[in-house]
Amino acid sequence: MSGKPDFNPVSDTIAGLIMACTSVPQLIAYAETVGYASYRGLATAGPSLFSYALATGSPWLNAGVTSVTALMAKSDLNGEAYMAEHGEEAYVELVAAYSVYIAIASAFLAVVGFGKLAQKCPSRVAAGFKWGCALGVLVSALPNGILGGGSSELKKVAAAAAIPSGILSFLKTNIPAAAGAQNLTRLIFILLTPFNWSPIPFILFIVCTAIVMEGPKYLPKVCPPGTEVILATAAATLLSMFTDYPGGVVGEIPSLDPDAGIHIAGIQLPVEIVSLKTLLAAPVAEQFGGYPMLMISATLFSAVNFLSVMGILSGFESENGIKWSANRELIAQGVGCAVSGFTGAAPVSGSMSRSLVSRMAGTTSKMAALVTATFWMLCLPYMSVMSSTPKAALSSVIVAAVVKSVIFPKKLNALKGNDFIVGWGTAILTATLNPTMGFGFGLILSFSIDILSPPKEKKA
């Protein structure tokens, strides 16, 4: 195939519905990664995807909260500590406000022509950053698969043990920015003490992970990509509904106000809007020590976001001959994040996995993404069917997506010399600090080594 495919509304409708159904478990799982209630993942996904689809120039780009944007938002905002002190509603408002600032930063980057500069980002930094983020996502997801009470239980167990509590106390006192190192310490401790594990959630987690990772090999070829995710999640939900399942579940999903939402052409879309006043009142600047650091962080977040989009669209260009505009995609990213903020969601970006599935499902235009987004919004009143879904099953969806890249970091292992130092240095900093700081320090490390290294001799 070369160039954009010929428009086919029937194919787009079918592809859009396939994407809508297969992505639901992922949406709910990534809400857990952000740190707020699982149901918010589906409740807020539609508007941002709809707006992103209208703005992008790609027929296949599928956007939403991803594992990386979820982890970065939670890390940048110190989400666990903030929610513990202020509650979930206040944290949702904080995340939403941050999304808007990232939208502003995306527009700024488009104006200054960042798209051309982004294509010069050192590949060794990008490789290290991706591995560090993948490890961070894995660390965030595993507690729900090992312990019935998830990360909250993990914190209590680690705090009650002498060795991990001592390490955590040292990190908090001497290296307060090392949030990633604290999470790694807790996870390593729980992995080494299997007598603390919750047997039934753990077994369910292992089974679901195996289904998601190996299922496609055994399913009929007529099954669309993502069928294995639906099967694993549905089976786990039925198990939870009809047994006394002891682990954590999505939980009660609040009923939506029947009069709330957006009314379009006589159709009511039950989407809650966050007011501008609420977004402006959110103390997001205070979390960063003032507006200058907030905008620096938002700009770095936006830049990292765009690197993901650039990777997706560059692949489509090389494989399918579909040209793309960096400035347009930065604006699309800004539009998506702005709408995400005004609907109470985390920042969004292009999703590699969902975009590839969109192409494989037969998408011919952006209509497919519009169908997906509309279907999600129309299905919001029926979300209660997911209330019994075990968090261990949702954790398996995330773990299955990243575990291979963590255990077998092919791009990092292929690096040599200074590239190896920069790549792994960025990876370690990203995993032990937070993604935004890791990426920034990775760039500094890369440029510093280039300056200090002697120039290569030209071959005669």
Side-chain angles (χ1 to χ4, degrees), residues 77-79 82 89-99 282-285 287:
L77 298 171
N78 195 14
Y82 188 89
E89 288 298 328
Y91 178 54
V92 169
E93 293 171 1
L94 187 77
V95 172
Y98 193 36
S99 294
V284 63
Q287 290 295 106

Side-chain angles (χ1 to χ4, degrees), residues 81 161 211 228 391:
I211 292 173
E228 68 283 355
K391 291 184 178 181

Side-chain angles (χ1 to χ4, degrees), residues 45-379:
S48 57
L49 174 58
F50 196 96
S51 58
Y52 208 125
L54 290 175
T56 184
S58 172
W60 296 321
L61 184 63
N62 200 285
V65 176
T66 67
S67 58
V68 174
T69 62
L71 178 66
M72 288 179 66
K74 183 179 181 180
S75 299
D76 287 358
L77 298 171
N78 195 14
E80 288 189 14
Y82 188 89
M83 191 161 72
E85 181 177 353
H86 301 282
E88 184 181 347
E89 288 298 328
Y91 178 54
V92 169
E93 293 171 1
L94 187 77
V95 172
Y98 193 36
S99 294
V100 174
Y101 283 105
I102 291 168
I104 295 171
S106 297
F108 168 76
L109 291 178
V111 171
V112 300
F114 173 76
K116 294 182 179 179
L117 179 63
Q119 296 176 16
K120 299 180 180 179
C121 175
S123 58
R124 56 193 183 183
V125 173
F129 173 77
K130 288 181 179 179
W131 186 88
C133 283
L135 178 59
V137 170
L138 191 64
V139 170
S140 178
L142 276 175
N144 279 327
I146 298 174
L147 302 172
S151 58
S152 58
E153 182 180 346
L154 174 59
K155 284 187 173 182
K156 293 177 182 178
V157 173
I163 295 177
S165 62
I167 297 173
L168 290 169
S169 178
F170 172 82
L171 290 172
K172 291 177 182 178
T173 303
N174 299 282
I175 320 174
Q182 295 177 34
N183 294 332
L184 277 168
T185 299
R186 296 188 185 98
L187 182 65
I188 292 172
F189 166 72
I190 204 65
L191 290 176
L192 295 175
T193 55
F195 53 83
N196 284 311
W197 299 359
S198 302
I200 294 178
F202 176 68
I203 293 172
L204 179 64
F205 164 73
I206 293 298
V207 171
C208 287
T209 302
I211 292 173
V212 173
M213 295 184 70
E214 301 298 324
K217 298 178 182 178
Y218 304 99
L219 290 172
K221 293 184 178 181
V222 295
C223 294
T227 300
E228 68 283 355
V229 175
I230 295 177
L231 291 175
T233 308
T237 302
L238 291 173
L239 173 70
S240 175
M241 290 173 64
F242 296 106
T243 64
D244 188 19
Y245 178 71
V249 296
V250 169
E252 182 180 357
I253 298 175
S255 300
L256 296 171
D257 183 351
D259 297 323
I262 303 172
H263 298 268
I264 301 176
I267 300 176
Q268 182 180 2
L269 299 177
V271 177
E272 295 185 2
I273 305 298
V274 181
S275 69
L276 179 60
K277 181 179 179 181
T278 299
L279 292 173
L280 292 175
V284 63
E286 286 83 340
Q287 290 295 106
F288 294 90
Y291 282 99
M293 286 306 299
L294 165 60
M295 291 314 302
I296 290 174
S297 179
T299 302
L300 275 174
F301 195 120
S302 177
V304 170
N305 247 9
F306 183 68
L307 291 177
S308 299
V309 174
M310 185 177 72
I312 298 168
L313 297 180
S314 295
F316 290 158
E317 181 176 15
S318 62
E319 295 171 13
N320 304 95
I322 297 179
K323 302 292 184 181
W324 59 284
S325 164
N327 284 345
R328 177 172 181 172
E329 297 307 326
L330 274 167
I331 293 296
Q333 176 176 286
V335 170
C337 286
V339 173
S340 190
F342 278 97
T343 52
V348 297
S349 180
S351 167
M352 173 68 82
S353 60
R354 295 200 289 268
S355 297
L356 292 176
V357 170
S358 177
R359 181 176 64 174
M360 288 189 293
T363 294
T364 66
S365 75
K366 297 184 289 184
M367 177 183 168
L370 299 177
V371 170
T372 299
T374 303
F375 183 83
W376 285 341
M377 288 186 278
L378 291 175
C379 284

